[in-house]
Amino acid sequence: MSDCGTRAISIIAFIGSVFSPWYRWSGRKSPDNHVCINVATYGPGGRWTMTDRGRSALRQSPERFEVGPSVLHWDGDRLVVEINEISTPHGQRVQGTVTIHPSALTSVEVPLTADGAHVWRPFAPTAEIEVDLGKDGWSWRGHGYFDANFGTRALEEDFGYWTWGRYPTRVGTASFYDVARRDGSDLAVALSFGRDGSVETLEAPPKTRFSRSLWAIKRETRADPGTKPRQVKHMLDAPFYNRCGVETTLHGERVTGVFEALDLDRFRGPWLMPMLAVRVPRRSKWAFKD
């Protein structure tokens, strides 16, 4: 999110594009044949890009991850994202550079299921970002975050619903991951990350509901007793997924961060896939020029 709070960006790099209808229709047998760098910008002139690409578009090394025309690579202690994508449905080019400056990297891994089939890996919970997308208003600085999720089974196979929130605090970052599993058990993760990469278990305030999304997805995040979260920035609304800027109170501190809610009961419905195909084009062939 920008320091002024008016703009935001989300970038997700996929091997096995879990929200792609093409990956689901393929039977999810070849994740490397469904790769993607999804970029969404929020604010005036915001854009959405999510192209499902085939294995010929994937190149990777320990320092570099390429999918077609876009690439993530480490430059010393900075993660640089070079974006060159086409938005849907209107076909505008989204091009430029985003640089993430982690304050520190962590070694934290959190299994989301008892057998470790799904893992959350918050690499850099506290970071500064520079965004330069080469158009009016889209050069800005702000606070950011870098994490990953790994899994060997489909999300909807093991989970029914989850919420996640990341809130900058005076000492670093508070992050919450609340998961409802298919087996009837729940997982509640609450961590406080220092700017030096240190991590402590956080005493989590109660889960507190706030207004539903435009698609009527239930939303709840952590808030001190007697206070209520509220949406302060609209970001992404989908029938099964919501991302937004949220203001809440944690241990007496008023904070603003990014929140998401994922309804996997809705996501596994077959009616959704044709809708997603409109926003997620498939490009199976790619040839690198170098």
Side-chain angles (χ1 to χ4, degrees), residues 227-238:
T227 68
K228 189 172 183 178
R230 68 184 186 96
Q231 176 178 306
V232 295
K233 183 163 187 57
H234 173 268
M235 294 185 186
L236 177 61
D237 268 296

Side-chain angles (χ1 to χ4, degrees), residues 16-17 20-31 33-34 152-154 156-157 273:
S17 189
S20 164
W22 311 101
Y23 186 36
R24 181 164 169 178
W25 288 331
S26 76
R28 293 184 171 134
K29 296 177 181 178
S30 300
N33 198 35
H34 294 273
T152 57
R153 289 194 296 265
E156 66 270 24
E157 183 177 343
M273 294 301 105

Side-chain angles (χ1 to χ4, degrees), residues 8-282:
I9 189 168
S10 169
I11 303 167
I12 309 177
F14 293 97
I15 299 180
S17 189
V18 295
F19 301 126
S20 164
W22 311 101
Y23 186 36
R24 181 164 169 178
W25 288 331
S26 76
R28 293 184 171 134
K29 296 177 181 178
S30 300
D32 66 331
N33 198 35
H34 294 273
V35 294
C36 176
I37 295 180
N38 163 232
V39 180
T41 60
Y42 307 110
R47 299 285 184 262
W48 163 269
T49 81
M50 191 173 185
T51 301
D52 183 303
R53 299 185 185 275
R55 60 173 55 88
S56 61
L58 174 63
R59 294 198 303 198
Q60 56 181 326
S61 71
E63 302 291 328
R64 191 174 180 88
F65 179 82
E66 291 182 77
V67 175
S70 297
V71 58
L72 292 78
H73 64 91
W74 286 100
D75 179 8
D77 59 0
R78 307 180 302 166
L79 181 63
V80 180
V81 187
E82 298 174 12
I83 300 165
N84 186 3
E85 299 289 334
I86 301 295
S87 70
T88 57
H90 302 299
Q92 297 101 335
R93 185 170 297 279
V94 179
Q95 189 169 14
T97 303
V98 175
T99 306
I100 298 119
H101 301 266
S103 66
L105 297 178
T106 80
S107 59
V108 174
E109 290 190 352
V110 180
L112 301 180
T113 53
D115 63 358
H118 302 271
V119 175
W120 172 50
R121 178 72 165 86
F123 286 102
T126 306
E128 294 183 357
I129 62 170
E130 298 175 74
V131 177
D132 184 3
L133 297 183
K135 61 178 185 176
D136 292 344
W138 281 98
S139 295
W140 50 266
R141 301 179 69 95
H143 60 83
Y145 172 96
F146 170 43
D147 75 350
N149 282 272
F150 306 92
T152 57
R153 289 194 296 265
L155 293 176
E156 66 270 24
E157 183 177 343
D158 289 322
F159 308 116
Y161 174 78
W162 80 33
T163 63
W164 169 90
R166 177 260 174 186
Y167 300 99
T169 67
R170 287 187 294 265
V171 299
T173 295
S175 197
F176 304 97
Y177 218 138
D178 290 289
V179 179
R181 302 188 183 108
R182 291 278 177 212
D183 63 7
S185 64
D186 294 325
L187 175 69
V189 178
L191 298 174
S192 176
F193 297 96
R195 292 187 180 88
D196 61 355
S198 59
V199 58
E200 297 180 353
T201 299
L202 185 65
E203 182 180 348
K207 286 192 287 188
T208 305
R209 288 199 181 189
F210 61 106
S211 61
R212 286 180 176 260
S213 72
L214 293 178
W215 282 92
I217 294 175
K218 177 183 70 173
R219 300 191 293 185
E220 57 188 16
T221 191
R222 301 292 177 162
D224 288 353
T227 68
K228 189 172 183 178
R230 68 184 186 96
Q231 176 178 306
V232 295
K233 183 163 187 57
H234 173 268
M235 294 185 186
L236 177 61
D237 268 296
F240 65 96
Y241 182 85
N242 176 255
R243 180 187 297 131
C244 61
V246 166
E247 183 183 75
T248 188
T249 303
L250 305 173
H251 301 291
E253 183 180 358
R254 200 68 176 163
V255 295
T256 300
V258 176
F259 164 89
E260 70 174 27
L262 178 61
D263 187 330
L264 287 155
D265 289 334
R266 290 190 184 182
F267 179 68
R268 66 178 178 175
W271 59 271
L272 185 63
M273 294 301 105
M275 294 175 61
L276 289 177
V278 175
R279 299 300 302 273
V280 184
R282 169 73 173 164

